[in-house]
Amino acid sequence: MTRQSRTSPAASEQSLHQAYDTALLDLDGVVYAGGEAIAYAVESLAAARADGMHLAYVTNNALRTPDAVAEHLGELGIPTEAAEVITSAQAVARLIAEQVEPGAKVLVIGGEGLRVALRERGLVPVDSAEEEGLAAVVQGYGGPDLPWGRFAEASYAINRGVSWFASNTDLTIPGTRGIGPGNGAAVEVVRIATGAEPQVAGKPLPPMHRETVLRTGAKRPLVVGDRLDTDIEGAFNGEVDSLLVLTGVTDAEQLLRAEPRHRPTYVDRDLRGLLAGQPEVEPFAEGFRCGGWTAVATNGGVLELREYGENGAEAEGTGDPLDGLRALCAAAWTAAGDGVCTFDAAKALARLGL
């Protein structure tokens, strides 16, 4: 089965931390949310590392430096070296450095992570659009307190023809209080003011995948993320396998409606999925079966769930809900083909509690 034609989550007899040499882990929504560790993340990552899996943290959030991220992970109980952290700030700094002269001035709209990454590439971060010889503008997530005037500063330079770069275009970012606006929302502000289009480095685009490969040397990587449009699409673009965890932005309904480039190889509740194999989803009767659940895409445009006991008779409430979701994915993605499933799944998901 090619990635382009994926119609079902894949199976793995081996636990994923044994089947892959390196986990390329997103941070926000996967390892932590709003600075606090997500349930089971610390112990799951410790177990995977102890058993020989390499861990790398790949984030579109350009606010903090790799050193700061590594320190924070250590405080959460996840010992991490700065070299194990790859950020979109690093990816966009490399992209800029390939297009401007060494030592060029770059207007920074964002946080310290961008400044450190630019200096690493021999570039000079500045704060004013009026700097003589300004070569580029770079925009990255600057936290919730980034002043509105920074967007105006970017607009003044871009409207004069200065090249514009963005670390990423994630519209949202998860936090302890819920989902807030991400760098993509800030990019839209500048886009409206200028009519320009930035060059973007972060997931799911190739510059971020290239940066990750260069820095980790992974041979058989597994992308682990919570977002279909960045983590999973990035894995698709990089032609590597992926694990979607349901601890961040993506919910079960969005997963069922995923277009081909947004369909993960595997799906699990949280990072405990790294330490487990993945069950087989197979054709059964008129639908698809996983565990005790069978999912059917009916002629009436509804996704239905049926559950069977060990004797083959219909049963209630004995199967793992996640197996039901995997079966529903197979039914939905098969029905959708290369498109997006529009079948009604509300009753089926309610039955699973998802």
Side-chain angles (χ1 to χ4, degrees), residues 131-181:
E131 284 279 352
E132 185 176 352
L134 187 65
V137 177
V138 63
Q139 190 171 359
Y141 184 66
D145 299 322
L146 187 69
W148 186 261
R150 301 307 296 154
F151 305 144
E153 204 68 25
S155 300
Y156 301 148
I158 295 164
N159 280 327
R160 293 204 309 266
V162 177
S163 297
W164 180 26
F165 297 80
S167 65
N168 69 294
T169 53
D170 296 8
L171 291 173
T172 60
I173 187 168
T176 53
R177 297 176 59 192
I179 304 299

Side-chain angles (χ1 to χ4, degrees), residues 61-246:
N61 190 331
L63 178 60
R64 294 188 293 173
T65 67
D67 282 317
V69 172
E71 181 179 358
H72 178 211
L73 289 171
E75 291 169 353
L76 296 178
I78 306 170
T80 306
E81 300 292 332
E84 295 174 309
V85 179
I86 300 94
T87 73
S88 62
Q90 293 171 322
V92 76
R94 188 186 297 270
L95 187 63
I96 296 169
E98 291 171 343
Q99 299 180 41
V100 302
E101 295 296 323
K105 296 178 182 178
V106 180
L107 174 62
V108 175
I109 312 300
E112 185 62 16
L114 281 174
R115 296 175 184 275
V116 169
L118 289 169
R119 293 188 190 105
E120 183 183 50
R121 292 288 156 210
L123 302 173
V124 179
V126 299
D127 293 316
S128 173
E130 305 309 314
E131 284 279 352
E132 185 176 352
L134 187 65
V137 177
V138 63
Q139 190 171 359
Y141 184 66
D145 299 322
L146 187 69
W148 186 261
R150 301 307 296 154
F151 305 144
E153 204 68 25
S155 300
Y156 301 148
I158 295 164
N159 280 327
R160 293 204 309 266
V162 177
S163 297
W164 180 26
F165 297 80
S167 65
N168 69 294
T169 53
D170 296 8
L171 291 173
T172 60
I173 187 168
T176 53
R177 297 176 59 192
I179 304 299
N183 190 56
V187 167
E188 285 303 309
V189 172
V190 177
R191 192 198 310 269
I192 290 168
T194 63
E197 292 290 334
Q199 294 185 53
V200 183
K203 295 180 286 186
L205 297 172
M208 189 67 174
H209 180 72
R210 178 182 58 161
E211 193 72 21
T212 301
V213 170
L214 287 172
R215 289 179 181 266
T216 65
K219 302 299 183 185
R220 183 162 169 72
L222 177 70
V223 169
V224 184
D226 70 307
R227 303 183 69 109
L228 300 180
D229 59 348
T230 55
D231 304 316
I232 306 307
E233 185 177 341
F236 176 90
N237 290 338
E239 297 187 346
V240 298
D241 289 343
S242 60
L243 167 66
L244 178 79
V245 291
L246 301 174

Side-chain angles (χ1 to χ4, degrees), residues 272-353:
R272 288 176 294 179
L274 274 179
L275 307 177
Q278 294 287 310
E280 184 175 5
V281 182
E282 58 185 349
F284 181 76
E286 67 271 45
F288 295 88
R289 178 171 64 182
C290 184
W293 296 97
T294 296
V296 178
T298 71
N299 292 332
V302 175
L303 290 174
E304 290 185 352
L305 274 176
R306 299 165 190 175
E307 194 172 11
Y308 297 91
E310 292 182 1
N311 62 359
E314 199 159 345
E316 288 288 346
T318 59
D320 183 343
L322 199 61
D323 287 340
L325 178 59
R326 294 178 177 116
L328 282 171
C329 284
W333 298 348
T334 299
D338 290 334
V340 174
C341 181
T342 59
F343 283 45
D344 183 358
K347 186 174 180 180
L349 292 176
R351 186 176 175 188
L352 295 173

